[in-house]
């Protein structure tokens, strides 16, 4: 713990972009494991930004994210997104997706799956697992959902990051925050020129 005589005049602020994905949740938990006493003392603030409505990252619950009437195998919200619109599918998940890595290796060692979980499991199980992870370690209250980061700029004069966010869905004004430390990235997916294959 920092002594009273050396305590900073304001809390050190940490931000995580994409806090709802696996890497973001892991970063959030590590920060709290290492800085828990400082957070409780008000000497450190941690904020996670997640543009989706819940945790999941690329495993985000597609049931609420895609158009169920489509007959495209990959079930993306847009079969061929237009890069000029800068509007990307909420999730790359499709109906029959299963993991290619056994869950004891894929999941966090601090929160293992129940023994009855299939070794190679489906996307819904992964999504449910991530929700249980964030709730078990009480991380949800530190994540701002539906918060899309539109820019993150380093100011060499103030030695801080200027982070601009806006609601990902629905109306709302932009919000500006300042942080001493920033991790994560702004989503820019790579699109491959493959044609979608209809169900047969």
């Amino acid at each position: 713990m920092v002594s009273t005589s050396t305590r900073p005049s304001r809390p050190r602020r940490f931000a995580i972009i994409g806090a709802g994905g696996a890497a973001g949740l892991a970063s959030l938990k590590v920060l709290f494991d290492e800085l828990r006493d400082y957070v409780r003392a008000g000497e450190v603030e941690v904020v996670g930004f997640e543009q989706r409505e819940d945790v999941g990252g690329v495993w985000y619950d597609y049931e609420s994210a895609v158009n169920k009437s489509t007959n495209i195998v990959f079930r993306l919200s847009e079969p061929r997104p237009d890069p000029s619109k800068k509007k990307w599918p909420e999730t790359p998940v499709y109906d029959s997706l299963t993991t290619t890595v056994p869950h004891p290796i894929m999941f966090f060692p601090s929160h293992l799956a129940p023994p009855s979980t299939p070794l190679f499991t489906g996307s819904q199980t992964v999504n449910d697992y991530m929700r249980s992870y964030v709730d078990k370690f009480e991380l949800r209250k530190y994540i701002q959902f539906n918060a899309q980061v539109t820019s993150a700029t380093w100011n060499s004069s103030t030695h801080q990051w200027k982070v601009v966010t806006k609601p990902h869905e629905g109306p709302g004004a932009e919000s500006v925050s300042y942080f001493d430390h920033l991790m994560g990235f702004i989503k820019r997916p790579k699109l491959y020129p493959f044609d979608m294959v209809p169900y047969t």
Side-chain angles (χ1 to χ4, degrees):
M1 185 68 64
V2 177
S3 66
T4 304
S5 60
T6 60
R7 182 170 296 174
S9 58
R10 60 169 180 79
R12 302 287 290 180
R13 306 196 74 210
F14 293 74
I16 299 173
I17 300 175
L25 292 177
S27 299
L28 197 58
K29 185 176 183 300
V30 167
L31 279 177
F32 279 103
D33 286 347
E34 297 295 324
L35 303 174
R36 188 179 308 275
D37 290 340
Y38 295 93
V39 173
R40 289 174 176 171
E43 298 168 12
V44 166
E45 292 181 5
V46 180
V47 178
F49 296 108
E50 173 55 51
Q51 73 173 21
R52 298 177 177 90
E53 295 288 350
D54 204 346
V55 299
V58 296
W59 297 95
Y60 183 65
D61 184 6
Y62 69 92
E63 292 288 347
S64 61
V66 302
N67 181 356
K68 298 295 289 183
S69 65
T70 182
N71 67 343
I72 301 300
V73 168
F74 291 95
R75 295 276 178 114
L76 297 178
S77 55
E78 293 182 61
R80 177 75 65 172
D82 182 354
S84 66
K85 296 180 180 179
K86 298 183 179 179
K87 175 67 175 178
W88 308 106
E90 290 299 314
T91 173
V93 169
Y94 52 92
D95 287 358
S96 59
L97 178 65
T98 58
T99 62
T100 57
V101 178
H103 68 76
I105 298 175
M106 179 177 177
F107 289 177
F108 298 115
S110 57
H111 181 51
L112 298 177
S116 60
T117 304
L119 198 58
F120 297 94
T121 189
S123 59
Q124 187 60 57
T125 300
V126 177
N127 187 260
D128 291 343
Y129 166 82
M130 294 180 71
R131 290 178 178 176
S132 67
Y133 180 87
V134 75
D135 291 334
K136 175 181 179 179
F137 296 108
E138 300 181 339
L139 302 176
R140 189 178 295 274
K141 60 186 176 182
Y142 299 104
I143 303 175
Q144 295 182 17
F145 292 100
N146 193 36
Q148 180 180 2
V149 175
T150 58
S151 68
T153 309
W154 174 253
N155 187 320
S156 57
S157 298
T158 62
H159 300 287
Q160 284 190 307
W161 288 93
K162 176 183 177 181
V163 177
V164 180
T165 62
K166 69 174 184 178
H168 180 57
E169 298 290 347
E174 285 190 337
S175 177
V176 178
S177 304
Y178 296 90
F179 296 91
D180 302 289
H181 306 278
L182 181 67
M183 59 192 74
F185 61 92
I186 300 176
K187 185 175 71 171
R188 291 289 186 272
K190 180 176 178 59
L191 298 178
Y192 293 91
F194 299 142
D195 292 330
M196 297 298 182
V197 181
Y199 279 115
T200 57

